[in-house]
Amino acid sequence: MLHYALIFLVVAIIAAVLGFGGLAGTFAWLAQLLFVVFLILAIISFFRRAT
């Protein structure tokens, strides 16, 4: 999931450089959403293994 977040971030940066602001914003939002989901799942996984 972190891999896809980084891909969306790179695509957002490329779209922003090329002048596609709306598309860049959408991809940046998707990258942020996937990163937050990754963090939540990583924390849950950490605490399940710690017990």
Side-chain angles (χ1 to χ4, degrees):
M1 188 163 305
L2 185 60
H3 177 75
Y4 290 120
L6 291 174
I7 288 175
F8 278 122
L9 180 63
V10 169
V11 170
I13 291 171
I14 292 171
V17 168
L18 294 176
F20 298 106
L23 192 63
T26 302
F27 278 116
W29 179 79
L30 282 171
Q32 182 179 3
L33 178 69
L34 286 174
F35 184 71
V36 169
V37 170
F38 165 75
L39 282 180
I40 291 170
L41 291 176
I43 291 170
I44 290 171
S45 175
F46 174 74
F47 282 119
R48 288 192 67 190
R49 289 182 187 258
T51 59

